[in-house]
Amino acid sequence: MPLETLPLADPGRPELSSPLAFLRWLQRGQRRGQVLATCWSLLEMGGQAALPVPVGLGIQAAVDGDAAGLWRAGGIALGLAALSSVGTVLLHRQAVWNWIHAATQVRQLVARQASRLGAGLSRRIATGEIVAVGSGDVEKIGWYVELVARLRGAVLVWLAVSTAVLVTQPLLGLAVLLGVPVLAASVWPLLGPFERRYTEQRALGGKATELAADTVAGLRVLRGIGGEELFLARYRAASQQVRAAAVRSARIWSLMQAQQVLLPGLFVVGITWYGAHLAATGRISVGTLVAVYGSTAYLAAPLRILGEAAHAWSVARVSAGRAVRVLSLDRTAGTPDSGLTGPAQSDLFDPATGLTAAAGRLTAVVCGDPDFAGALAERLGGHVPTAEDEPPGPSVRLGGVELDAVPLAEARAAVLVHDKEPVLLSGTLAGLFDIPASGRVEPADALAAACAEDVLDALVDGSPDCRGDAMRAEITERGRSLSGGQRQRLALARSLLADPPVLVLDEPTSAVDAHTESRIAAGLRRNREGRTTVVFATSPLLLDQADRVVLVRDGRVAAAGRHRELMRTEPGYRAVVTRAEEPAPVREAV
């Protein structure tokens, strides 16, 4: 089969009603590859299963003194061996193609889903689970999809051998025809326990991966506070849990493997004993006995494939279920005929909390719960990912139009949500700033507003090949060579450069010192003059620059006004901003 360029131009639209439906959809996507692999497996296994026939004919010819028959049997055996060798090579090539194609297709689907859902994906599914789906699970799924074609070939060869033996010796043929399904079914009682243990192993592995990712991401902070040993102990404990779960899975799997060797061996011994009895009594010839024994003994190979298929099905169903869970998360699609008119001149309104961000103004939002603030910031961007069984909440409105009803691309162009922990991809600074933008803001202005001049110096010092040109300076993966504050300011400059009609910032200055934060607050107000901006913050330096500050408590707007006014009149607001205990209400004596 001709090679294909990877990645695929379009991985397709998967069937996500169940793990089995997803696996079947993958198989349908490579029909030609599946048919070819089945044909090559028939050529390989059929040639090997038929090889005992000319061997038996040759032995019988030697017993009878038939030299011509002996040469004829040798020629047939040589031809079958050549055909089987060709089938082995072609089958291996096609099986690897089917495996890589299915794994690549699933990996592209997961990557496309992660790109489409953005930061909301990690809030609904643990990062470790996403990594597990995109690495180990796709290999298990590809293995199963590839194995299905070989399974079809094994079943067809078993039927052919059973029919041939049945014609030659009905009782032996009936034993072969009925014995193989019984032996294959003997492994199924172990599949349930194995699948449960493997599911537990995969879940624990995902948690360990998530813990490792969090540890690496916060390594600089951990070293600063001396928490490396604590997190190492936590990861060691999680790793030992994964190891123990893997050992429990391996025990069941080893029992299945032993069963696949023992039972077929006993079956072949029984068939051979009965055939030898028939040969000793003169009811069949020695050559026929050799042919029947060889063909029956070869059925151990299809039986191994049946056992491998049972194992592959167990792990692939678990892996496909995890992939379906990730791929089933969705945003509201929007309707093509709906659209936004003048988003820069439109108010942003959230009916769930009652929050309104006036057009062209800088609105600050204060929440006592950082997690709720992050979820609210995400919701203001519209098209929040929801699970299949999770009812969607009310849509945010921009200029009276529901953002969830607007096509995703248009909603993203209108409202940009700057996440609390933005990601910096590796590459040059010019590549980082190569984003869709209005053109109103120059890179130098965005960097100045974010007070990122010292970041440029650090990048130039760390990139001697840039020859003093900061835009050619290299940024390491996730910006790990920079401090937290430097990464935060560089990401803020990128958002300011985009200059969207509506910009939502979630704690954009949490990792910088007070002096820098004061300069960023002033630069942000200058840069976003006349543009709608929503800032989630509790810093007085940022709040004092806002045209309007909104306090959200218990999921609803509790107060609104200027920062200094709220500090005087709202004890709850003052407690959040100053991080003090809110005074309890005074009860009058009765």
Side-chain angles (χ1 to χ4, degrees), residues 177-194:
L177 187 64
L178 299 179
V180 170
V182 171
L183 292 176
S186 64
V187 76
W188 288 99
L190 297 175
L191 290 181
F194 174 77

Side-chain angles (χ1 to χ4, degrees), residues 524-540:
L524 175 64
R525 182 171 183 85
R526 280 195 314 271
N527 185 275
R528 294 292 298 174
E529 186 70 34
R531 310 287 267 180
T532 307
T533 308
V534 182
V535 182
F536 286 80
T538 56
S539 167

Side-chain angles (χ1 to χ4, degrees), residues 334-357:
T335 54
D337 56 345
S338 62
L340 298 170
T341 56
Q345 291 80 40
S346 303
D347 292 347
L348 184 67
F349 173 68
D350 176 32
T353 59
L355 171 65
T356 299

Side-chain angles (χ1 to χ4, degrees), residues 49-64:
L51 193 59
V53 175
V55 172
L57 292 175
I59 292 174
Q60 190 61 46
V63 171
D64 297 339

Side-chain angles (χ1 to χ4, degrees), residues 209-248:
T209 305
E210 181 185 7
L211 180 60
D214 291 343
T215 303
V216 172
L219 192 58
R220 185 190 296 268
V221 178
L222 289 176
R223 286 174 175 171
I225 63 176
E228 291 174 276
E229 290 300 324
L230 174 62
F231 271 78
L232 179 61
R234 290 178 57 188
Y235 181 76
R236 185 183 293 112
S239 178
Q240 289 302 312
Q241 289 180 343
V242 176
R243 183 195 62 80
V247 169
R248 289 193 293 270

Side-chain angles (χ1 to χ4, degrees), residues 458-484:
L459 290 174
V460 170
D461 292 340
S463 304
D465 294 339
C466 72
R467 298 179 181 178
D469 184 359
M471 300 306 290
R472 295 173 55 190
E474 289 288 334
I475 301 173
T476 57
E477 183 183 359
R478 302 180 71 91
R480 297 197 190 281
S481 61
L482 303 174
S483 68

Side-chain angles (χ1 to χ4, degrees), residues 251-560:
R251 286 172 182 162
I252 297 291
W253 173 236
S254 63
L255 185 60
M256 293 167 63
Q257 290 285 83
Q259 193 179 46
Q260 291 175 39
V261 174
L262 176 63
L263 295 183
L266 294 176
F267 176 71
V268 172
V269 168
I271 293 294
T272 304
W273 178 86
Y274 182 69
H277 172 72
L278 294 179
T281 57
R283 296 167 63 181
I284 61 174
S285 65
V286 175
T288 303
L289 172 63
V290 172
V292 170
Y293 162 74
S295 298
T296 305
Y298 175 74
L299 289 177
L303 277 172
R304 283 195 299 271
I305 294 179
L306 291 173
E308 184 183 358
H311 181 207
W313 162 247
S314 299
V315 298
R317 188 166 68 167
V318 175
S319 298
R322 292 158 63 102
V324 166
R325 184 187 172 202
V326 172
L327 297 176
S328 295
L329 291 175
D330 201 7
R331 296 179 185 265
T332 48
T335 54
D337 56 345
S338 62
L340 298 170
T341 56
Q345 291 80 40
S346 303
D347 292 347
L348 184 67
F349 173 68
D350 176 32
T353 59
L355 171 65
T356 299
R361 309 296 291 276
L362 175 58
T363 302
V365 181
V366 176
C367 299
D369 183 0
D371 293 334
F372 179 81
L376 177 55
E378 180 187 0
R379 188 164 69 244
L380 292 180
H383 295 268
V384 178
T386 57
E388 198 171 355
D389 56 350
E390 181 182 345
S395 172
V396 170
R397 300 191 184 105
L398 182 60
V401 178
E402 292 187 352
L403 276 182
D404 288 353
V406 176
L408 179 60
E410 187 176 352
R412 280 186 165 177
V415 182
L416 172 62
V417 179
H418 177 91
D419 197 58
K420 185 180 298 183
E421 297 179 357
V423 175
L424 300 180
L425 300 179
S426 59
T428 64
L429 184 60
L432 181 69
F433 284 173
D434 185 15
I435 57 174
S438 67
R440 188 179 72 98
V441 179
E442 296 294 328
D445 297 332
L447 289 166
C451 295
E453 295 88 349
D454 63 310
V455 183
L456 299 184
D457 296 335
L459 290 174
V460 170
D461 292 340
S463 304
D465 294 339
C466 72
R467 298 179 181 178
D469 184 359
M471 300 306 290
R472 295 173 55 190
E474 289 288 334
I475 301 173
T476 57
E477 183 183 359
R478 302 180 71 91
R480 297 197 190 281
S481 61
L482 303 174
S483 68
Q486 289 174 326
R487 289 197 300 269
Q488 195 172 57
R489 284 178 283 156
L490 205 56
L492 176 60
R494 180 179 56 184
S495 296
L496 295 177
L497 176 65
D499 191 40
V502 180
L503 176 61
V504 180
L505 302 170
D506 186 9
E507 293 287 355
T509 59
S510 58
V512 301
D513 59 78
H515 175 69
T516 305
E517 186 176 33
S518 176
R519 293 173 56 202
I520 292 175
L524 175 64
R525 182 171 183 85
R526 280 195 314 271
N527 185 275
R528 294 292 298 174
E529 186 70 34
R531 310 287 267 180
T532 307
T533 308
V534 182
V535 182
F536 286 80
T538 56
S539 167
L541 296 172
L542 275 174
L543 300 175
D544 198 41
Q545 292 287 343
D547 298 308
R548 182 169 179 262
V549 181
V550 178
L551 172 65
V552 177
R553 185 166 47 189
D554 298 328
R556 296 292 299 176
V557 171

